[in-house]
Amino acid sequence: MANLEDLTGLSDPLYEARKGVYPKAVDGFFRRFKWAIMAVTLAIYYVTPWIRWDRGPYAPDQAVLVDMANRRFYMFNIEIWPHEFYYVAGLLIMAGVGLFLVTSAVGRAWCGYACPQTVWTDLFQHVDRFVDGDRNAQIRLKNAAWGPEKIAKRLTKWAIYLFIAFWTGGAWIMYFADAPTLTRDFWSGNAAPVAYATVAVLTATTFIFGGFMREQVCIYMCPWPRIQTAMMDEKSLIVTYRDWRGEQRGSIKKAEAQPGEFGDCIDCNQCVAVCPTGIDIREGPQIGCITCALCIDACDKVMEQVGRPRGLIDYLTLDDVATEKAGGKAESVLKTLFRARTLVYFGIWSAIGLAMLFTLGQRTRLDLTIQHDRNPLFVQLSDGAIRNNYTVKVRNMETRPREVELVIKGLPDAVAWTTNGSRETASHRVKVSVAPDSVQKVRLFVAAPSAGPARADFEIEAIALTGNERGDSDSVRFERPENRQ
């Protein structure tokens, strides 16, 4: 049987075996910034479902809640109904445009600081250091034979992984039900099966992706790095090695022995040692770089120790690279960030946000939908008047009961009544009580003189007598017999 080499003509394997990545601990501005981002994002994720928000006695008091059972989305003072899903679409569009903005300005900064995969991987790497020690200790432990110490450390580390993964899955389901109630039901075995299944799936994915796959998710599984290449340009800030200053690499002793023959890079490999994806930034821009800038912290620390200028690795644009190689000076960061492209993205992002805020402020909390009965189209009453029947749905989107008045407009001498009334008590105004946060279905009967056009368009307006007084209206048609004088 032909082997792979015979079939492909290649002597090298098609796939490279994974090399373990053991990032070294580093301190510096960007590391501290990552600490801050990680703390904030994890706090938001784990704490938000437990924040209480008083909406009155008729609505849940959880600040952020996706209420699937009642088809509502709550976020503090904002309540989104199913027919208002365009607000969620607007948030998703804002998120997309925001990613375009960040990428065009500072490359893959989202990947390096705020992506969930990055945040949890960073958290798990701190667990590695806590249990196994720093980079060298982790490598020694990996290469060591299995024994009591290695088994104990592995089991301890994996137990912490599992604990973090479990609470990650547990926190997720809290967004879809009242957190304290669901917690009690979960531990007592009374929660819905989907809650246990969701926690199990998210526990497994967090445990595997954050604990073992790590940089492979960023490099091989995630499509975002490929998309970003189309959004970055020559003016996007990316982590760059100043090779014109660093090459040729050589140790301090070699540089002292041969002055002028070597650059500033002493080939210490600290930039590689601290990289969470294990790349060598000195090889140039590559898909494995998530722009976390930890290599900048490591290199600046080494440059300071050997008495050479900081910034051998730095945030630069491709235009800055060309300028500095030619002996010029790079543009200021502010000028790079506030350029036409980023301002356009920011303008679009802001316009969408302001439009959503405006519509949120102007939306009515009362909605009216009317459907004309088709069979029969009309009924002639004993006094000769014509009656049409309608099904009216009044949606009260406030968390309080409301009195609503339905008013007939544009149909002369018309009167209306509901199943609770009669023709004798009919008027052009009908009052309806609507429960909080619900839809009230009403059978509405409208009678008008027989004299008139066969088809007359008119309006029924819903006026709120309590709460937000903004109302709603709907155009409907009144049917009469044709050829009637």
Side-chain angles (χ1 to χ4, degrees):
M1 181 180 292
N3 57 32
L4 184 63
E5 182 178 344
D6 295 333
L7 293 174
T8 63
L10 300 174
S11 58
D12 295 328
L14 295 177
Y15 299 96
E16 182 183 16
R18 179 180 181 241
K19 298 176 181 177
V21 178
Y22 306 94
K24 182 180 179 180
V26 64
D27 185 39
F29 172 81
F30 295 106
R31 174 64 264 180
R32 290 190 290 271
F33 186 57
K34 276 179 68 70
W35 271 114
I37 295 295
M38 184 176 70
V40 170
T41 52
L42 290 176
I44 291 174
Y45 178 75
Y46 288 116
V47 174
T48 297
W50 297 93
I51 300 175
R52 302 294 97 186
W53 194 265
D54 185 14
R55 298 186 182 91
Y58 302 101
D61 65 348
Q62 188 161 309
V64 178
L65 176 66
V66 182
D67 189 354
M68 302 294 287
N70 296 304
R71 298 183 298 172
R72 304 286 188 278
F73 171 53
Y74 299 95
M75 181 179 286
F76 298 97
N77 274 336
I78 299 173
E79 178 184 355
I80 304 297
W81 282 59
H83 71 286
E84 297 176 315
F85 191 78
Y86 49 82
Y87 286 113
V88 178
L91 287 175
L92 293 175
I93 293 171
M94 286 187 69
V97 175
L99 283 175
F100 297 164
L101 170 62
V102 171
T103 302
S104 64
V106 286
R108 295 181 63 189
W110 160 260
C111 299
Y113 295 97
C115 172
Q117 175 65 21
T118 296
V119 171
W120 265 269
T121 295
D122 200 15
L123 179 62
F124 280 32
Q125 286 171 346
H126 290 308
V127 173
D128 293 346
R129 298 187 188 102
F130 175 75
V131 176
D132 297 340
D134 205 359
R135 172 182 166 84
N136 292 337
Q138 292 176 37
I139 295 173
R140 285 196 301 270
L141 186 63
K142 177 200 176 277
N143 295 327
W146 285 93
E149 181 184 4
K150 184 171 182 176
I151 292 173
K153 287 189 173 182
R154 284 290 184 264
L155 291 178
T156 301
K157 183 172 68 173
W158 294 343
I160 297 174
Y161 283 1
L162 195 60
F163 176 81
I164 295 172
F166 174 77
W167 283 110
T168 300
W172 176 258
I173 64 172
M174 300 302 169
Y175 285 89
F176 297 88
D178 181 66
T181 303
L182 180 56
T183 301
R184 289 194 297 270
D185 291 344
F186 187 92
W187 290 109
S188 64
N190 296 319
V194 68
Y196 297 102
T198 302
V199 171
V201 170
L202 291 178
T203 298
T205 53
T206 305
F207 183 78
I208 294 170
F209 290 172
F212 300 96
M213 297 188 68
R214 297 186 178 177
E215 78 286 347
Q216 295 179 91
V217 175
C218 302
I219 297 174
Y220 301 112
M221 295 176 61
C222 181
W224 189 238
R226 282 84 180 166
I227 298 172
Q228 283 178 319
T229 57
M231 292 187 290
M232 291 190 292
D233 58 21
E234 294 80 2
K235 295 186 179 297
S236 300
L237 286 168
I238 58 176
V239 175
T240 305
Y241 167 63
R242 287 184 165 96
D243 58 339
W244 59 95
R245 174 186 148 189
E247 301 297 322
Q248 175 177 345
R249 308 172 199 171
S251 65
I252 297 177
K253 290 183 178 180
K254 287 183 179 180
E256 291 175 348
Q258 304 177 53
E261 294 295 324
F262 295 94
D264 283 346
C265 180
I266 63 172
D267 208 18
C268 63
N269 283 326
Q270 290 301 298
C271 55
V272 181
V274 301
C275 180
T277 60
I279 68 161
D280 188 343
I281 191 62
R282 296 171 296 179
E283 295 176 359
Q286 50 203 288
I287 203 167
C289 179
I290 60 173
T291 321
C292 66
L294 294 183
C295 54
I296 297 179
D297 285 339
C299 187
D300 282 349
K301 183 177 181 180
V302 172
M303 290 296 102
E304 188 174 351
Q305 290 173 345
V306 300
R308 296 179 181 177
R310 296 159 64 98
L312 181 59
I313 302 175
D314 205 352
Y315 272 106
L316 290 173
T317 68
L318 294 179
D319 282 351
D320 290 339
V321 170
T323 300
E324 288 197 3
K325 281 185 177 180
K329 185 178 180 182
E331 285 188 346
S332 67
V333 173
L334 288 178
K335 189 174 180 180
T336 301
L337 293 177
F338 295 100
R339 64 184 194 277
R341 184 175 180 180
T342 56
L343 291 176
V344 168
Y345 281 142
F346 182 75
I348 296 172
W349 184 85
S350 300
I352 296 171
L354 290 173
M356 289 177 61
L357 288 174
F358 177 78
T359 55
L360 278 171
Q362 293 298 313
R363 66 178 179 168
T364 63
R365 307 312 293 147
L366 192 67
D367 188 65
L368 184 67
T369 304
I370 304 173
Q371 185 175 6
H372 191 291
D373 282 7
R374 307 309 300 170
N375 187 21
L377 282 175
F378 57 84
V379 175
Q380 187 168 15
L381 303 179
S382 58
D383 62 357
I386 304 300
R387 189 191 76 195
N388 283 205
N389 304 334
Y390 303 89
T391 299
V392 180
K393 293 181 180 179
V394 184
R395 181 184 287 114
N396 175 19
M397 291 180 280
E398 286 194 358
T399 56
R400 71 181 87 179
R402 300 173 77 184
E403 291 292 324
V404 178
E405 197 170 57
L406 302 177
V407 182
I408 307 297
K409 290 188 174 183
L411 189 64
D413 300 321
V415 293
W417 68 96
T418 65
T419 51
N420 295 325
S422 65
R423 173 72 189 278
E424 289 70 26
T425 60
S427 169
H428 73 288
R429 294 174 177 267
V430 176
K431 286 186 179 180
V432 177
S433 297
V434 188
D437 209 26
S438 63
V439 178
Q440 180 68 42
K441 189 175 181 179
V442 179
R443 289 286 291 164
L444 187 69
F445 308 103
V446 178
S450 58
R455 293 177 178 83
D457 292 330
F458 71 104
E459 280 191 355
I460 298 178
E461 183 178 7
I463 301 174
L465 303 179
T466 55
N468 187 327
E469 295 183 357
R470 291 197 188 100
D472 193 17
S473 63
D474 199 3
S475 296
V476 290
R477 177 167 290 181
F478 189 84
E479 301 278 355
R480 295 184 176 94
E482 294 185 4
N483 301 322
R484 193 170 183 89
Q485 302 298 324

